[in-house]
């Protein structure tokens, strides 16, 4: 289910929160969140394990902040449904 985020994370700027990147993230989120076992935390862990090589090198702390923000966005999306 979390592999739907692969396309978003393969964008060289996935970690920048550019509007076009957020649009891709939200499209993947809408799809993944339909699964009854979707978890924002597991989504974040999937991204951490598979896609933490952004175009510009980031520290693990910076990547952690990006993933925390994505998890927060996922929670916000779930709460608005």
């Amino acid at each position: 289910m979390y592999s739907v985020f692969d396309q978003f994370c393969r964008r060289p700027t996935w970690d920048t929160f550019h509007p076009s990147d957020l649009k891709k993230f939200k499209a993947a989120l809408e799809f993944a969140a339909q699964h009854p076992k979707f978890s924002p935390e597991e989504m974040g862990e999937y991204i951490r394990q598979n896609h933490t090589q952004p175009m510009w090198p980031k520290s693990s702390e910076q990547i952690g902040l990006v993933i925390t923000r994505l998890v927060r966005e996922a929670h916000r999306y779930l709460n608005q449904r």
Side-chain angles (χ1 to χ4, degrees):
M1 134 187 46
Y2 300 110
S3 63
V4 71
F5 292 97
D6 291 351
Q7 186 178 10
F8 159 70
C9 291
R10 287 187 183 122
R11 296 171 64 90
T13 56
W14 72 269
D15 63 322
T16 65
F17 295 98
H18 186 275
S20 66
D21 295 318
L22 282 176
K23 184 177 178 181
K24 290 286 186 186
F25 171 73
K26 289 179 181 182
L29 178 60
E30 286 177 13
F31 182 82
Q34 294 177 22
H35 193 282
K37 293 189 178 188
F38 175 77
S39 162
E41 286 75 19
E42 288 181 23
M43 174 205 71
E45 189 56 31
Y46 176 85
I47 292 171
R48 183 182 320 282
Q49 295 296 318
N50 295 286
H51 300 290
T52 55
Q53 300 300 319
M55 182 177 183
W56 308 110
K58 303 274 189 217
S59 70
S60 60
E61 182 178 290
Q62 290 169 310
I63 290 295
L65 291 173
V66 170
I67 291 172
T68 296
R69 184 170 170 191
L70 294 174
V71 169
R72 203 173 321 131
E73 289 290 327
H75 276 291
R76 190 172 300 131
Y77 174 80
L78 291 176
N79 290 332
Q80 292 176 351
R81 293 189 320 156

